[in-house]
Amino acid sequence: MKARGAMANPPNRFHASWSELDPAQLPDTVATEVFAEQANRIISTNRSPDVPFDQSVNPYRGCEHGCIYCYARPSHAFLDLSPGLDFESRLFAKTNAAERLRAELSRPGYRCRLLALGANTDPYQPLEKGLELTRGILEVCLEFRQPVAIVTKGSLVCRDLDLLEELARRRLTQVTVSLTTLSRDLKRRMEPRAASPEARLRTIETLSNAGVPVSTLIAPVIPRINDHEIEALVKAAADAGVQSAGYVLLRLPHEVKTLFRDWLTEHFPDRAEAVINLVRNTRGGKDYDSGFGQRMRGSGQYAAMIRARFEAALRRFGLGHRDPQLDTSQFRVPREISPQLDLF
């Protein structure tokens, strides 16, 4: 029996590939189905004090990168699909994303605020190479002078350098490139279809050289898996040209905790129990604490040590905490959309 999410979109099916990745980056072949979806609304809002934005756009549901730790995996359960393999192989593309964004930005009551692109799933996952939904969103942002902040671990972001350069020139964009490890082997195990560490550092360098403000997010920091790399990751990002850096401790909400435990047992059986015990040390003895102020950084001795090491690395390599402030004062509704502006 087909899941409800799949039944809703049977006519408009695409087949995706990972053609821009090196074969060495693909340890498994996963048959991928992509379903076209007509979104009723494209801008999502939140009231979380843990993130520096209150509105976001996600052109895709599900993500081909297949990162085992992804906090967005449980969202697939709302589609009657599994947060495991379905999340990375049964994907939904909001094919009217640009059209809906244009309509929502044109509403008389819209108040311009920073728009986050890729808050849930990666806007530059391999699927984007053919569908170009993210590129369409950036075109709308430039048209409206809408500031947009991008988070990605995909090197495909450099394809849109023409738009990003123009947005950056107007102080309307900044890009955060997520770094998790400098080890190709760990990357293949943990993020099987994401760009390599070298590709992400080249992406940072390319964007920075083009005048696009770039930061890095070391996420997630996982006890006894990649926590020893904090200083090396900050240095590599600084050398590549980032202006600021942040980090997030491993989060294990809902089904992610079971998926991650299974992955640990398979890949790191010698330390799986120690990893989980340290995670619990940062979450008040639980697998996860969703409370504001705790979700991203955790608490306890281990979390305090990670925080101190990260702060010391920022100072050592000359990086800041904060991304540049983007300019909301330039926002406009284009005249072809709002002819009444001709009166002014």
Side-chain angles (χ1 to χ4, degrees):
M1 179 176 179
K2 287 188 176 180
R4 187 169 67 230
M7 292 175 68
N9 301 276
N12 299 309
R13 188 182 305 181
F14 307 96
H15 287 278
S17 69
W18 299 293
S19 56
E20 74 273 22
L21 300 179
D22 296 333
Q25 292 179 256
L26 303 176
D28 303 299
T29 300
V30 180
T32 303
E33 291 181 286
V34 184
F35 302 95
E37 179 177 60
Q38 292 288 295
N40 293 323
R41 294 287 298 273
I42 197 65
I43 297 178
S44 300
T45 59
N46 76 83
R47 295 182 178 179
S48 171
D50 291 328
V51 293
F53 58 86
D54 60 8
Q55 58 177 12
S56 60
V57 167
N58 292 285
Y60 302 105
R61 293 203 275 181
C63 186
E64 290 173 279
H65 285 157
C67 304
I68 189 59
Y69 54 75
C70 182
Y71 63 84
R73 284 181 176 273
S75 63
H76 244 47
F78 294 110
L79 303 173
D80 287 345
L81 297 173
S82 82
L85 189 60
D86 283 347
F87 178 79
E88 55 196 83
S89 64
R90 304 191 73 181
L91 312 175
F92 295 81
K94 300 173 187 177
T95 53
N96 65 335
E99 172 190 339
R100 289 307 314 152
L101 181 59
R102 188 174 282 109
E104 290 174 39
L105 295 182
S106 300
R107 291 199 313 265
Y110 177 75
R111 181 169 63 88
C112 182
R113 306 185 304 279
L114 176 68
L115 187 68
L117 180 53
N120 203 45
T121 57
D122 201 310
Y124 284 104
Q125 58 181 288
L127 174 62
E128 166 65 15
K129 184 174 184 179
L131 296 185
E132 298 191 356
L133 301 184
T134 297
R135 182 173 178 85
I137 289 169
L138 291 181
E139 289 172 341
V140 173
C141 287
L142 182 56
E143 182 182 359
F144 281 75
R145 308 291 190 258
Q146 165 66 49
V148 56
I150 301 165
V151 179
T152 184
K153 55 171 63 78
S155 57
L156 185 58
V157 64
C158 292
R159 178 203 63 189
D160 295 337
L161 201 57
D162 57 331
L163 296 173
L164 294 171
E165 284 181 310
E166 181 60 20
L167 285 163
R169 188 179 69 80
R170 297 175 180 273
R171 293 179 46 235
L172 293 174
T173 197
Q174 69 91 27
V175 178
T176 298
V177 176
S178 173
L179 292 177
T180 315
T181 179
L182 297 177
S183 164
R184 275 197 162 221
D185 177 62
L186 179 57
K187 198 283 315 176
R188 276 195 293 268
R189 298 193 205 190
M190 194 162 55
E191 307 165 332
R193 288 167 296 281
S196 70
E198 296 87 351
R200 295 185 216 182
L201 291 171
R202 286 195 302 270
T203 297
I204 290 171
E205 187 173 10
T206 298
L207 293 169
S208 179
N209 288 343
V212 179
V214 195
S215 65
T216 193
L217 187 63
I218 298 172
V221 174
I222 307 173
R224 297 197 61 184
I225 300 296
N226 70 343
D227 56 351
H228 64 283
E229 295 191 70
I230 289 174
E231 291 80 5
L233 286 164
V234 173
K235 181 181 187 304
D239 289 346
V242 302
Q243 299 176 4
S244 59
Y247 76 95
V248 177
L249 275 179
L250 177 68
R251 301 166 57 186
L252 297 177
H254 307 298
E255 296 92 343
V256 180
K257 64 178 179 290
T258 302
L259 292 167
F260 187 77
R261 281 173 180 268
D262 291 345
W263 178 85
L264 269 179
T265 301
E266 178 182 352
H267 292 278
F268 297 98
D270 60 318
R271 67 189 90 161
E273 186 176 352
V275 171
I276 293 301
N277 286 339
L278 279 171
V279 169
R280 286 177 171 170
N281 177 269
T282 71
R283 304 296 181 185
K286 300 178 289 185
D287 288 324
Y288 184 54
D289 181 355
S290 62
F292 292 145
Q294 301 295 325
R295 294 186 299 169
M296 304 300 189
R297 299 295 180 88
S299 60
Q301 234 176 5
Y302 173 83
M305 178 193 70
I306 293 300
R307 189 177 303 113
R309 285 178 54 196
F310 181 77
E311 294 291 340
L314 289 188
R315 291 192 297 270
R316 180 179 176 187
F317 300 111
L319 297 182
H321 282 282
R322 296 186 177 279
D323 297 327
Q325 289 294 307
L326 302 184
D327 186 2
T328 59
S329 68
Q330 301 175 55
F331 181 82
R332 55 144 194 210
V333 177
R335 290 183 176 181
E336 60 269 24
I337 296 176
S338 185
Q340 65 268 30
L341 291 181
D342 287 334
L343 299 173
F344 295 90

